[in-house]
Amino acid sequence: MKPSLQLKLSQHLTLTPQLQQSIKLLQLSTIELNQEIERFLLENPMLERADSDGVEFMPPAAPGSPPEHELQQQQRQDEAREAAPDSAGAEAGEPREGGEGSSEDEGIDWSNVGSGASSRGEDDDDVDYQDLQAAGVSLREHLDQQVSLSPLSDRDRALVRLVIEALDDDGYLHQPLEELLELLPEESEVELDELSIALRHVQNLEPAGIGARSPQECLSLQLRTLPESDTRALALEIVDKHLELLAERNFVKLKKLTGCDDDGLRAAHALICSLDPHPGSRYSSAETRYVLPDVVVRKLRGRWVVTLNQEAMPRLRINRLYASLLQQNRGQGGGLGGQLQEARWLIKNVQQRFDTILRVSQAIVDQQRQFFDHGEVAMRPLTLREIADQLELHESTVSRVTTQKYMASPRGVFELKYFFGSHVATDTGGAASSTAIRALIRQLVDAEDSKKPLSDAKIAEVLGQQGIVVARRTIAKYRESLNIPPVSLRKSI
């Protein structure tokens, strides 16, 4: 074949840079959005955060929502009701939170805060007390403090610290002592008995149960620290010899082997359940992660109304100085013209992002208003396609909006995805939401007789009497998702 030139006409969809940026911003969470905006602020001098006196990006309002002054008035009333108990307590002469004698002062390292109360004087108002945080003490630090005060020799103290370093975050020693012995140099001449004695020293430290090699030993160590009593003796016997029977809830065989009655077994069972199987977890350094809601739901004039959370909204505008210089020197701005256009795109796309979140959130609230009135049992089945058809959006757009976006309501903070779920058919030809069925299962389990708990088949039968057709295996799946143990583990004496 000879090479030749041909003309061909075709159509294809091309995503412009502005559309690509809009899609990207829409799927970002609030934290990721702030990080992305910070990057733009560093790279683009034409963009800046708006001050309170000149804001170009204003929050969009939901269609049919009350005026802004009514929302602000409702918010002030809510804040006044929340602050009422505190003010009443202050008038009655009760000690205020954070005042003198407050328990919050315990554990705070005050050495880094000035040089005492007398040195602050008139600067007390300038002190940011939110920066003062209680110093966290790890498990190893807590144990080392006790070891340093113990009357041990330097050699024994070093061996005890070696065992402490081998503990996991829950306070267990999963590594055999023989392996710890192999880690020591031969010239140290440490015997296995010495490590066993060091382990005993660790097990005598606080909190009780530290240094255990199994959950059974952990519970046993905690029981041995309690005052002697008949209940303690029975609980110790059960833990040391019949812990598997207790886990299986085989109370008949337990009473036969221990020779106790129902009251004694019930008291011993309660004592064992009060123990901590993870004594070292209270010293874990896991940080609490907070969620910043994107929208807030309030009830105004008998209607649930969605508003944007002002704290989650970045306020952006064009830098007036650079914009005026660029206008005065047209054609000589270099790359500032392109950066000006990018800044305008970003402001528009951020505004469009929050406008879309507000529209989708209001549509969800309108569909699930029974949930906000009556709770989870009133949740109706809802799909992404229903919201997309209602708002004339693509289903993928609704999916992006509802991912990692959160809604604050009087019933709690929920991810927007929470309001969507599968459905189960009813006898009347309707459908029930899986969330509502889970709530019903939770109610049935909470109200059941602990001596005769409901099986999965019985729960399915009860729901069937209410017109909800659910298979037993579906009940088991929902029960496991709620972390509800099976019927054999819910049975009590």
Side-chain angles (χ1 to χ4, degrees):
M1 295 179 62
K2 295 183 179 179
S4 61
L5 296 177
Q6 296 180 353
L7 294 178
K8 185 178 180 181
L9 183 63
S10 63
Q11 293 182 346
H12 63 278
L13 180 63
T14 302
L15 295 179
T16 63
Q18 183 180 2
L19 183 58
Q20 293 177 3
Q21 184 186 76
S22 176
I23 296 175
K24 180 180 180 181
L25 295 180
L26 188 60
Q27 65 188 3
L28 295 179
S29 64
T30 302
I31 297 177
E32 294 171 343
L33 175 66
N34 290 328
Q35 293 175 351
E36 186 72 11
I37 290 178
E38 289 296 334
R39 184 179 66 84
F40 275 103
L41 291 172
L42 292 175
E43 297 177 354
N44 194 340
M46 301 297 298
L47 189 67
E48 68 176 4
R49 291 192 180 274
D51 297 329
S52 58
D53 57 345
V55 179
E56 291 190 4
F57 169 47
M58 298 299 295
S65 61
E68 182 67 22
H69 67 87
E70 293 189 8
L71 298 177
Q72 295 177 357
Q73 182 179 3
Q74 179 70 21
Q75 185 176 4
R76 286 194 296 268
Q77 293 176 358
D78 295 342
E79 293 175 354
R81 283 194 296 267
E82 295 175 358
D86 297 337
S87 60
E91 293 176 359
E94 298 178 359
R96 298 182 61 183
E97 182 180 357
E100 185 178 356
S102 175
S103 59
E104 293 185 359
D105 292 345
E106 298 178 1
I108 298 180
D109 184 8
W110 297 100
S111 59
N112 296 327
V113 187
S115 58
S118 60
S119 63
R120 291 196 297 266
E122 299 178 355
D123 297 335
D124 287 345
D125 295 337
D126 298 333
V127 179
D128 188 1
Y129 291 98
Q130 294 181 353
D131 295 338
L132 306 180
Q133 297 180 356
V137 179
S138 65
L139 175 63
R140 290 174 178 81
E141 292 174 347
H142 177 67
L143 297 177
D144 283 339
Q145 292 174 2
Q146 299 179 60
V147 172
S148 61
L149 299 176
S150 61
L152 297 175
S153 62
D154 293 341
R155 179 183 176 88
D156 293 339
R157 191 175 288 111
L159 294 177
V160 170
R161 287 197 169 99
L162 174 65
V163 176
I164 291 175
E165 289 297 326
L167 301 179
D168 63 6
D169 294 336
D170 291 331
Y172 283 87
L173 179 65
H174 295 293
Q175 193 173 7
L177 294 179
E178 290 79 8
E179 294 184 5
L180 291 179
L181 186 61
E182 294 177 358
L183 298 177
L184 297 174
E186 296 182 359
E187 56 270 16
S188 61
E189 299 180 355
V190 176
E191 301 292 338
L192 184 61
D193 293 340
E194 294 182 87
L195 277 182
S196 300
I197 295 174
L199 177 60
R200 289 297 179 187
H201 285 302
V202 173
Q203 292 178 348
N204 289 328
L205 299 176
E206 291 291 334
I210 288 294
R213 287 159 288 187
S214 64
Q216 182 178 8
E217 185 180 11
C218 179
L219 299 178
S220 179
L221 290 172
Q222 296 181 54
L223 286 173
R224 295 180 190 278
T225 61
L226 301 178
E228 293 186 3
S229 63
D230 295 339
T231 302
R232 169 190 176 269
L234 179 58
L236 193 58
E237 180 183 358
I238 294 175
V239 168
D240 291 339
K241 300 178 181 179
H242 314 296
L243 189 59
E244 294 182 358
L245 292 177
L246 182 64
E248 297 172 359
R249 301 296 179 107
N250 195 342
F251 300 117
V252 175
K253 192 171 183 179
L254 274 176
K255 290 189 293 183
K256 182 179 179 181
L257 293 176
T258 58
C260 64
D261 55 5
D262 290 344
D263 294 336
L265 184 57
R266 189 179 295 108
H269 184 207
L271 179 60
I272 295 174
C273 291
S274 65
L275 303 177
D276 186 3
H278 307 287
S281 60
R282 70 188 71 172
Y283 297 95
S284 61
S285 57
E287 296 182 358
T288 304
R289 305 188 67 178
Y290 298 92
V291 172
L292 182 62
D294 299 87
V295 294
V296 181
V297 181
R298 296 186 181 90
K299 194 170 187 178
L300 298 175
R301 298 179 180 177
R303 178 173 178 262
W304 291 100
V305 179
V306 179
T307 57
L308 290 171
N309 183 11
Q310 303 296 326
E311 300 296 331
M313 297 170 53
R315 299 181 177 273
L316 305 173
R317 70 178 181 186
I318 303 298
N319 188 294
R320 298 175 181 175
L321 176 60
Y322 285 109
S324 60
L325 291 177
L326 182 62
Q327 186 176 6
Q328 295 174 4
N329 301 276
R330 294 183 179 180
Q332 302 178 4
L336 289 180
Q339 291 179 335
L340 176 61
Q341 185 64 33
E342 291 178 358
R344 289 173 176 170
W345 283 354
L346 180 63
I347 294 175
K348 181 180 179 181
N349 288 333
V350 170
Q351 183 174 357
Q352 184 178 2
R353 174 186 187 271
F354 283 99
D355 182 28
T356 306
I357 291 176
L358 185 62
R359 292 178 59 203
V360 172
S361 301
Q362 186 64 59
I364 293 174
V365 170
D366 292 340
Q367 294 288 342
Q368 300 290 3
R369 56 183 179 275
Q370 296 296 329
F371 163 80
F372 296 99
D373 289 330
H374 306 290
E376 293 181 337
V377 293
M379 182 81 78
R380 64 175 296 270
L382 185 65
T383 61
L384 298 175
R385 181 173 294 276
E386 293 182 49
I387 299 298
D389 294 341
Q390 177 181 346
L391 300 178
E392 298 182 354
L393 297 173
H394 196 273
E395 190 173 346
S396 61
T397 302
V398 179
S399 178
R400 292 187 181 96
V401 170
T402 56
T403 301
Q404 298 184 36
K405 313 300 187 302
Y406 295 89
M407 173 187 297
S409 70
R411 294 195 175 273
V413 179
F414 305 94
E415 187 180 8
L416 297 185
K417 284 284 189 185
Y418 172 78
F419 298 96
F420 299 89
S422 58
H423 64 277
V424 176
T426 61
D427 288 341
T428 59
S433 171
S434 59
T435 304
I437 296 176
R438 289 188 179 93
L440 291 174
I441 293 174
R442 171 66 69 183
Q443 288 183 359
L444 292 174
V445 172
D446 292 341
E448 69 182 1
D449 185 2
S450 59
K451 296 182 179 180
K452 295 180 180 179
L454 299 175
S455 62
D456 295 340
K458 184 63 177 178
I459 294 177
E461 180 182 348
V462 173
L463 293 179
Q465 295 174 358
Q466 300 180 11
I468 303 175
V469 183
V470 188
R472 185 198 59 81
R473 60 180 180 273
T474 305
I475 295 294
K477 181 179 70 175
Y478 289 167
R479 176 181 52 76
E480 292 175 357
S481 66
L482 295 172
N483 295 324
I484 298 176
V487 59
S488 59
L489 300 182
R490 301 202 309 270
K491 186 178 181 180
S492 63
I493 306 170

